[in-house]
């Protein structure tokens, strides 16, 4: 994953933050979600979607 992002949740301050990925998931994306490395956000790709997810408190937010 080449995108760098804040690795701390703004809600609970946890460091268990993963990126949210959008689009039709292939085998690799499905495996990454299964292993907890990403969260699948759905097939629709829009402009102002959240791109971070806290695995501890389940909060979603966007870098911008």
């Amino acid at each position: 994953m080449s995108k760098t992002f804040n690795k701390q949740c703004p809600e609970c301050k946890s460091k268990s933050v993963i990126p949210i990925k959008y689009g039709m998931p292939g085998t690799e994306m499905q495996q990454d979600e299964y292993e907890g490395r990403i969260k699948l956000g759905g097939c629709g790709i829009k402009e102002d979607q959240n791109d971070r997810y806290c695995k501890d408190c389940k909060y979603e937010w966007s870098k911008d």
Side-chain angles (χ1 to χ4, degrees):
M1 291 166 216
S2 60
K3 197 177 198 181
T4 47
F5 57 90
N6 183 1
K7 288 252 185 193
Q8 184 173 3
C9 176
E11 286 292 305
C12 71
K13 307 303 182 213
S14 168
K15 300 275 187 190
S16 295
V17 176
I18 57 174
I20 300 173
K21 297 293 183 175
Y22 295 91
M24 182 62 79
T27 306
E28 186 175 332
M29 281 178 72
Q30 291 175 11
Q31 186 66 32
D32 285 345
E33 182 187 46
Y34 177 76
E35 294 176 7
R37 291 192 296 255
I38 66 169
K39 178 179 186 330
L40 294 177
C43 294
I45 300 174
K46 299 176 191 160
E47 191 132 331
D48 293 327
Q49 292 177 307
N50 293 327
D51 59 358
R52 289 154 179 69
Y53 176 78
C54 177
K55 295 194 301 184
D56 290 337
C57 72
K58 309 212 181 340
Y59 182 67
E60 295 181 8
W61 72 102
S62 180
K63 173 183 166 184
D64 299 330

